[in-house]
């Protein structure tokens, strides 16, 4: 009866199929968001989409599962038919088909040596990718003075390393990047540490790191799992700074050992290698410096020998030079003499020529002219003298004529000249005279000084 | 020269010794090479002498900046 049903559920809730499915999906996803499940792989398929479909089963049940394409690259191995696996997954529901399925996040082989198998598989994968290739690896610095160490600050590894460094007294700076080296987060932390130390080394000028050491003490295979993770392997291969992997004991080997540029069996051996390489390189420098000095000494002494030899070879020419010098002196002497002789000869010839030339010389003509001139002069003088003589004669004659007219001649005839003294005025008129005047009378042969007694004036 | 890497300096030092060992260099050249070698060897040993022994820890701060601090083993 409808009413009865109506009474029991006053309001009917009628779901559509997709609503129901959606609710179931919600419940499933919430309840099974992250779990581990083990089982056997059955019927794996990979269609064009690139997703991997499979069925996980055990003897009593089976469940569908999928690995999305985007997750495939994180897998260490591709599960095959019948493989026992451990899967980390969450549940979801594919609504169009009403099927719930495992969404696989992580898958690894199960059973005995499952981890080892995974390890081998990853190792193979990385080897195929060329990560272990010697060509890819960075060369170790022969002298690492700045070293980054990625390890647990409280672990044994760092103590071992520091002890070796201390004992060796090797001069280096150590920069520790603390990480956890075990457990789920270890790999992620170590990857981060590698990246951080690289960027730190790039950024800080003067703090460039020469080397990174990835260190961890010994442990079980499971303990070392972080060092077998692909992400870490890739980080090591990306590092710009050379990396030494020093994980576990001698017998342990990890993926990081293979990828690293150098594998050290233990952390203390890693430190020893660094120290030894450093010491060796210093020794090498010292040896090279020694060789450099020796070589230079040899070159110099070889040069000195060459100079000595040259000097010895030069010695005889020196004597020769002396001989030559004497020769030169001798020749110079002879030359001098020769020149003197030549000069003498020239002189003589010159003299002869001079004599010969004298006749023609204007000088000789000049003296001739001079003589002529002197002759002429002489004649001129004689002429003048004769002229003077003639004039003298004429003067004589004239003077004789004059003498005839002279008063003195008149005096000779008895005439006299009376002069008044003291003026010696010739007296012409007795009127000009007075008694006792003093008079001088000039006669032909002398003079008379007289005193006037008396005067007779004629009219 | 100051930031010449040790290994670069070392291999150049080796080269100088080798070229001196060939012995066919004129004296002038040989002296130049020798001086270069001395310089290189000094630079190699300099890094050594200048490196101060120190152990530090690099810590990433909350601001993402990295800081060095002295390391004291526990």
């Amino acid at each position: 009866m409808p009413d009865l049903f109506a009474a029991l559920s006053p309001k009917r809730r009628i779901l559509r199929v997709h609503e129901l499915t959606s609710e179931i999906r919600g419940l499933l996803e919430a309840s099974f968001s992250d779990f581990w499940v083990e089982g056997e792989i059955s019927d794996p398929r990979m269609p064009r989409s690139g997703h991997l479909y499979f069925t996980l089963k055990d003897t009593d049940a089976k469940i569908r599962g999928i690995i999305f394409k985007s997750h495939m690259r994180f897998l260490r191995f591709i599960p095959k038919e019948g493989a026992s696996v451990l899967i980390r997954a969450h549940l979801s529901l594919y609504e169009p088909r009403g099927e719930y399925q495992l969404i696989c996040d992580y898958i690894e082989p199960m059973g005995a040596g499952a981890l080892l198998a995974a390890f081998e598989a990853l190792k193979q994968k990385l080897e195929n990718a060329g990560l272990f290739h010697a060509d890819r690896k960075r060369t170790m610095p022969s002298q690492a003075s700045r070293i980054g160490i990625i390890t647990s600050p409280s672990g044994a590894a760092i103590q071992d390393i520091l002890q070796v460094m201390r004992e060796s007294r090797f001069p280096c700076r150590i920069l520790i990047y603390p990480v956890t080296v075990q457990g789920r987060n270890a790999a992620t932390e170590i990857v981060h540490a590698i990246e951080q130390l690289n960027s730190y080394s790039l950024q800080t000028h003067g703090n460039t790191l020469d080397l990174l050491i990835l260190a961890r003490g010994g442990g079980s295979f499971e303990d070392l799992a972080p060092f077998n993770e692909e992400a870490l392997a890739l980080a090591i291969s990306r590092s710009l700074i050379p990396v030494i992997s020093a994980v576990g004991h001698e017998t342990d080997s990890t993926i990081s050992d293979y990828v690293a540029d150098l594998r050290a069996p233990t952390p203390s051996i890693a430190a020893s290698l660094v120290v030894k390489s450093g010491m060796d390189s210093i020794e090498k420098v010292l040896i090279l410096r020694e060789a450099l000095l020796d070589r230079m000494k040899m070159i110099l002494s070889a040069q000195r020998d060459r100079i000595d030899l040259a000097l010895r070879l030069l010695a005889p020419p020196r004597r020769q030079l002396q001989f030559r010098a004497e020769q030169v002196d001798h020749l110079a002497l002879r030359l001098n003499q020769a020149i003197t002789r030549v000069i003498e000869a020239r002189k003589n010839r010159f003299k002869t020529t001079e004599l010969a030339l004298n006749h023609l010389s204007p000088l000789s003509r000049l003296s001739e002219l001079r003589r002529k001139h002197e002759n002429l002069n002489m004649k001129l003088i004689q002429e003048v003298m004769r002229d003077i003589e003639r004039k003298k004669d004429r003067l004589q004659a004239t003077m004789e004529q004059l003498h005839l007219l002279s008063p003195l001649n008149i005096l000779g005839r008895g005439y006299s000249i009376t002069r008044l003294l003291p003026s010696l005025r010739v007296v012409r008129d007795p009127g000009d005279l007075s008694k006792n005047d003093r008079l001088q009378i000039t006669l032909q042969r002398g003079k008379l000084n007289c005193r006037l007694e008396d005067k007779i004036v004629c009219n | 020269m100051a930031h010449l890497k040790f290994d670069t300096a070392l291999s150049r030092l080796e080269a100088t010794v080798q070229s001196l060992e060939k012995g066919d260099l004129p004296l002038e050249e040989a002296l130049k090479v020798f001086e270069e070698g001395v310089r290189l060897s000094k630079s190699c040993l300099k890094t050594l002498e200048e490196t101060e022994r120190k152990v530090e820890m690099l810590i990433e701060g909350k601001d993402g900046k990295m800081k060095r601090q002295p390391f004291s083993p526990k």
Side-chain angles (χ1 to χ4, degrees), chain A residues 108-129:
Chain A
E108 63 181 37
M110 267 292 295
L115 272 173
L116 193 63
F119 171 82
E120 289 302 331
L122 177 61
K123 191 179 149 194
Q124 191 60 50
K125 183 183 168 186
L126 294 178
E127 184 157 18
N128 291 345

Side-chain angles (χ1 to χ4, degrees), chain A residues 141-143 159 165-166 169-170 173-178 192 196 200 207 282 284 289 292 295, chain B residues 3 6-7 10 14 17 20 31 34 37-38 41 48 52-58 60 68 71 73:
Chain A
S142 51
Q143 199 203 35
Q159 297 307 329
M165 294 291 183
R166 252 197 315 275
R169 308 196 142 272
F170 181 70
R173 283 185 81 158
I174 289 171
L175 193 58
I176 298 163
Y177 198 101
H192 186 65
Q196 288 289 76
Y200 175 78
N207 283 317
I282 289 160
K284 198 170 176 185
R289 198 163 71 160
L292 196 71
R295 197 58 224 175
Chain B
H3 281 83
F6 181 88
D7 282 298
L10 184 63
E14 276 174 318
V17 174
L20 274 192
L31 276 170
F34 172 73
V38 170
S41 73
L48 192 85
E52 125 195 55
R53 288 168 58 96
K54 213 184 218 178
V55 181
E56 289 173 312
M57 196 151 71
L58 195 64
E60 193 178 347
R68 289 198 311 253
F71 175 73

